[in-house]
Coordinates of all heavy atoms in Angstrom, one line a residue:
V126 N 58.0 -38.3 -9.1 CA 58.0 -39.6 -8.4 C 59.3 -40.3 -8.8 O 59.4 -40.7 -10.0 CB 56.8 -40.5 -8.8 CG1 56.8 -41.8 -8.1 CG2 55.5 -39.7 -8.4
P127 N 60.2 -40.6 -7.9 CA 61.5 -41.2 -8.3 C 61.3 -42.7 -8.3 O 60.5 -43.3 -7.7 CB 62.4 -40.8 -7.1 CG 61.5 -40.7 -5.9 CD 60.2 -40.2 -6.5
G128 N 62.2 -43.3 -9.2 CA 62.3 -44.8 -9.3 C 63.7 -45.2 -9.0 O 64.6 -44.4 -8.6
P129 N 64.0 -46.5 -9.1 CA 65.3 -47.0 -8.8 C 66.4 -46.3 -9.6 O 67.5 -46.1 -9.0 CB 65.2 -48.5 -9.2 CG 63.8 -48.8 -9.1 CD 63.1 -47.6 -9.5
R130 N 66.2 -46.0 -10.8 CA 67.3 -45.3 -11.6 C 67.6 -43.9 -11.1 O 68.7 -43.4 -11.3 CB 66.9 -45.3 -13.1 CG 66.8 -46.6 -13.8 CD 68.1 -47.2 -14.0 NE 68.8 -47.7 -12.8 CZ 69.5 -48.8 -12.7 NH1 69.7 -49.5 -13.7 NH2 70.1 -49.1 -11.6
D131 N 66.7 -43.3 -10.4 CA 66.9 -42.0 -9.8 C 67.8 -42.0 -8.6 O 68.1 -41.0 -8.1 CB 65.5 -41.3 -9.5 CG 64.7 -41.1 -10.7 OD1 65.2 -40.7 -11.8 OD2 63.5 -41.4 -10.7
L132 N 68.1 -43.3 -8.1 CA 69.0 -43.4 -7.0 C 70.4 -43.9 -7.5 O 71.2 -44.2 -6.6 CB 68.5 -44.4 -6.0 CG 67.4 -43.8 -5.0 CD1 66.7 -45.0 -4.3 CD2 68.1 -42.9 -4.0
D133 N 70.7 -43.9 -8.8 CA 71.9 -44.4 -9.2 C 73.1 -43.5 -8.8 O 74.3 -44.0 -8.8 CB 71.9 -44.5 -10.8 CG 71.2 -45.7 -11.3 OD1 71.0 -46.6 -10.4 OD2 71.0 -45.8 -12.4
F134 N 72.8 -42.3 -8.4 CA 73.9 -41.4 -7.9 C 73.9 -41.4 -6.4 O 74.7 -40.6 -5.8 CB 73.7 -40.0 -8.4 CG 73.7 -39.9 -9.9 CD1 72.6 -39.3 -10.5 CD2 74.7 -40.3 -10.7 CE1 72.5 -39.3 -11.9 CE2 74.7 -40.2 -12.1 CZ 73.5 -39.7 -12.7
G135 N 73.1 -42.2 -5.8 CA 73.0 -42.3 -4.3 C 71.9 -41.4 -3.8 O 71.4 -40.5 -4.4
L136 N 71.6 -41.6 -2.5 CA 70.6 -40.9 -1.8 C 70.9 -39.4 -1.7 O 70.0 -38.5 -1.8 CB 70.3 -41.5 -0.4 CG 69.0 -41.1 0.3 CD1 67.8 -41.4 -0.6 CD2 68.9 -41.8 1.6
P137 N 72.2 -39.0 -1.4 CA 72.5 -37.6 -1.3 C 72.2 -36.8 -2.6 O 71.7 -35.7 -2.6 CB 74.0 -37.5 -1.0 CG 74.3 -38.8 -0.3 CD 73.4 -39.8 -1.0
A138 N 72.4 -37.5 -3.8 CA 72.1 -36.8 -5.1 C 70.6 -36.7 -5.3 O 70.2 -35.7 -5.8 CB 72.7 -37.7 -6.2
L139 N 69.8 -37.6 -4.7 CA 68.4 -37.5 -4.8 C 67.9 -36.3 -4.0 O 67.0 -35.6 -4.4 CB 67.7 -38.8 -4.4 CG 66.2 -38.8 -4.5 CD1 65.7 -38.5 -5.9 CD2 65.6 -40.1 -4.0
R140 N 68.5 -36.2 -2.8 CA 68.2 -35.0 -2.0 C 68.5 -33.7 -2.7 O 67.8 -32.8 -2.6 CB 68.9 -35.1 -0.6 CG 68.4 -36.1 0.4 CD 68.9 -35.8 1.8 NE 68.4 -36.8 2.7 CZ 69.0 -37.9 3.1 NH1 70.2 -38.2 2.5 NH2 68.5 -38.7 3.9
A141 N 69.7 -33.7 -3.3 CA 70.1 -32.5 -4.1 C 69.2 -32.3 -5.2 O 68.8 -31.1 -5.5 CB 71.5 -32.7 -4.6
L142 N 68.7 -33.3 -5.9 CA 67.8 -33.1 -7.0 C 66.5 -32.5 -6.5 O 66.0 -31.6 -7.2 CB 67.4 -34.5 -7.6 CG 66.4 -34.5 -8.8 CD1 67.0 -33.9 -10.0 CD2 66.0 -35.9 -9.1
R143 N 66.0 -32.9 -5.4 CA 64.8 -32.3 -4.8 C 65.0 -30.9 -4.4 O 64.2 -30.0 -4.8 CB 64.3 -33.1 -3.6 CG 63.1 -32.5 -3.0 CD 62.7 -33.3 -1.7 NE 63.7 -33.2 -0.7 CZ 63.7 -33.7 0.5 NH1 62.6 -34.4 0.8 NH2 64.6 -33.6 1.4
G144 N 66.1 -30.6 -3.7 CA 66.4 -29.3 -3.2 C 66.6 -28.3 -4.3 O 66.1 -27.2 -4.3
E145 N 67.4 -28.7 -5.3 CA 67.8 -27.7 -6.4 C 66.6 -27.5 -7.4 O 66.5 -26.5 -8.0 CB 69.0 -28.2 -7.1 CG 70.3 -28.2 -6.2 CD 71.4 -29.0 -6.8 OE1 71.4 -29.2 -8.0 OE2 72.4 -29.2 -6.1
S146 N 65.8 -28.5 -7.6 CA 64.7 -28.4 -8.6 C 63.5 -27.7 -8.0 O 62.7 -27.1 -8.7 CB 64.3 -29.8 -9.1 OG 63.7 -30.6 -8.0
G147 N 63.3 -27.8 -6.6 CA 62.2 -27.3 -6.0 C 60.9 -28.1 -6.1 O 59.8 -27.8 -5.7
A148 N 61.1 -29.3 -6.7 CA 60.0 -30.2 -6.9 C 59.8 -31.1 -5.7 O 60.7 -31.5 -5.0 CB 60.2 -31.1 -8.2
M149 N 58.5 -31.4 -5.4 CA 58.2 -32.2 -4.2 C 58.3 -33.7 -4.6 O 57.8 -34.1 -5.7 CB 56.8 -31.9 -3.7 CG 56.4 -32.7 -2.5 SD 54.7 -32.4 -2.0 CE 54.9 -30.7 -1.5
L150 N 58.9 -34.5 -3.8 CA 58.9 -36.0 -4.0 C 57.7 -36.5 -3.4 O 57.3 -36.2 -2.2 CB 60.1 -36.6 -3.4 CG 61.5 -36.2 -3.8 CD1 62.6 -37.0 -3.1 CD2 61.7 -36.3 -5.3
V151 N 56.9 -37.4 -4.1 CA 55.7 -38.0 -3.6 C 55.9 -39.5 -3.7 O 56.1 -40.1 -4.8 CB 54.5 -37.6 -4.4 CG1 53.2 -38.1 -3.8 CG2 54.4 -36.0 -4.5
L152 N 55.8 -40.2 -2.5 CA 55.9 -41.6 -2.5 C 54.7 -42.2 -1.7 O 54.7 -42.1 -0.5 CB 57.2 -42.0 -1.8 CG 58.5 -41.6 -2.5 CD1 59.7 -41.8 -1.6 CD2 58.7 -42.4 -3.8
T153 N 53.8 -42.8 -2.4 CA 52.6 -43.4 -1.8 C 52.8 -44.7 -1.2 O 52.3 -45.0 -0.1 CB 51.5 -43.4 -2.8 OG1 51.2 -42.0 -3.3 CG2 50.2 -44.0 -2.3

Side-chain angles (χ1 to χ4, degrees):
V126 178
R130 296 286 68 145
D131 297 316
L132 277 168
D133 279 348
F134 304 120
L136 197 56
L139 181 59
R140 284 196 180 94
L142 177 71
R143 178 186 62 180
E145 294 170 13
S146 69
M149 181 183 294
L150 301 183
V151 183
L152 294 172
T153 299

